[in-house]
Amino acid sequence: MKLICVSDEHEIGLETARLIASVVRLKPEAVLGLATGSSPIGAYAELARMCAEENLDFSDVRTVNLDEYVGLDGSHPQSYRYFMHKYLFDKVNIDPKNTYVPDGFAEDPDEECDLYDELLESLGYADLQLLGIGVNGHIGFNEPADFFIPETHVVKIAESTIDANQRFFDTRDEVPRYAITIGIKGILCAERIVLIASGRKKAEALKAACFGPVTPKMPASILQVHPNVTVIADDEAFSLVPFFGHDEEAY
Ligand code: GLP
């Protein structure tokens, strides 16, 4: 793992966008694995700026998103499809036909999962997979569990994740209880993975993900087995990591 410590969220956005842009410039038809949540918003804003001002061209880029809430269709303001249009797809010259997000409103969510895995395989998986991390260490919606699930699957969202994501909804009851998420295989098959995190609330999860045992109880820890992972985080998120923080005694 390559760890990059930057000063704040803004710098995370700039650094992440630079990496994504370099992939797109080298391979204009790249497949980008994309994430939602507050962490990637700065990177998407910077990519939109690069598209407008620096000729970064998304016309042949394909994107595959990690996950979607079950029960929300793409026009729901809290759906991840809506999020992606708001923060990226509507701001760059990407062809909407080349953007894939699991359909949370599919009549048969299990069938949708199978179709999504077929899609990932047909695209050859992501050239770069962007990931946030949940406070409980989830990636996509791969929640802490007794085993890693390789395939795209329907998952019951953890109570701690419902608490964390409640801020986007009017009430806790409105937060969907299930999601469709790419599984661990879909993530690990990416050529390159970029994990981003900011703030003290991510510090425990980030330390465990980078330096703890590889266990499905801490889903992000599986990234330790991938040969090309870059973690970009701020001082606060890295505050429990020995090189950057003050927790040397733990190691
Ligand atoms: C959500 C998403 C994840 C995201 C995580 C962290 O539940 N399913 O893909 O990485 O939460 O979100 P944030 O960046 O808002 O902290």
Side-chain angles (χ1 to χ4, degrees):
M1 277 184 176
K2 181 175 173 190
L3 309 184
I4 301 177
C5 185
V6 297
S7 53
D8 56 26
E9 237 174 327
H10 180 66
E11 288 296 323
I12 294 173
L14 297 185
E15 193 66 34
T16 306
R18 271 183 222 126
L19 287 179
I20 296 174
S22 64
V23 169
V24 172
R25 289 200 199 276
L26 283 169
K27 186 175 175 186
E29 73 288 5
V31 176
L32 300 177
L34 298 180
T36 52
S38 25
S39 303
I41 290 176
Y44 294 157
E46 176 63 5
L47 288 171
R49 188 198 66 74
M50 289 168 143
C51 182
E53 296 174 12
E54 295 173 5
N55 298 321
L56 182 63
D57 182 11
F58 284 82
S59 57
D60 291 325
V61 166
R62 283 83 47 81
T63 64
V64 272
N65 263 77
L66 282 168
D67 47 14
E68 180 60 283
Y69 288 119
V70 168
L72 302 191
D73 82 22
S75 63
H76 190 292
Q78 296 312 332
S79 72
Y80 288 166
R81 162 60 76 181
Y82 188 97
F83 174 103
M84 289 309 302
H85 279 276
K86 178 173 171 187
Y87 290 106
L88 186 67
F89 299 158
D90 293 349
K91 302 198 167 167
V92 297
N93 65 329
I94 197 163
D95 182 344
K97 287 202 297 295
N98 289 338
T99 68
Y100 303 97
V101 181
D103 180 3
F105 218 54
E107 214 167 285
D108 182 344
D110 291 325
E111 185 187 24
E112 173 65 11
C113 292
D114 294 345
L115 292 172
Y116 212 68
D117 277 335
E118 282 170 26
L119 169 77
L120 288 173
E121 207 178 329
S122 71
L123 290 171
Y125 298 94
D127 291 288
L128 182 149
Q129 175 65 60
L130 180 61
L131 295 175
I133 182 169
V135 286
N136 63 0
H138 72 228
I139 45 178
F141 266 126
N142 290 272
E143 296 282 24
D146 292 335
F147 44 86
F148 290 112
I149 303 180
E151 300 85 16
T152 299
H153 57 282
V154 176
V155 60
K156 187 168 186 337
I157 300 173
E159 291 298 319
S160 61
T161 304
I162 294 172
D163 291 340
N165 291 1
Q166 183 185 340
R167 67 190 193 279
F168 299 113
F169 294 82
D170 289 337
T171 65
R172 193 178 191 278
D173 281 350
E174 283 175 45
V175 186
R177 271 23 185 189
Y178 291 88
I180 292 175
T181 183
I182 287 184
I184 295 301
K185 176 182 173 189
I187 293 172
L188 291 185
C189 281
E191 186 73 23
R192 174 174 199 177
I193 295 175
V194 177
L195 175 76
I196 54 176
S198 67
R200 180 62 185 78
K201 63 184 183 302
K202 300 289 175 72
E204 277 82 12
L206 201 58
K207 174 185 166 187
C210 299
F211 296 100
V214 175
T215 163
K217 308 269 185 226
M218 172 51 60
S221 65
I222 193 71
L223 300 177
Q224 292 176 36
V225 310
H226 190 283
N228 193 346
V229 176
T230 304
V231 180
I232 306 173
D234 62 9
D235 298 319
E236 290 191 3
F238 269 140
S239 58
L240 298 179
V241 165
F243 314 120
F244 305 119
H246 308 285
D247 198 29
E248 292 87 352
E249 284 180 12
Y251 296 89

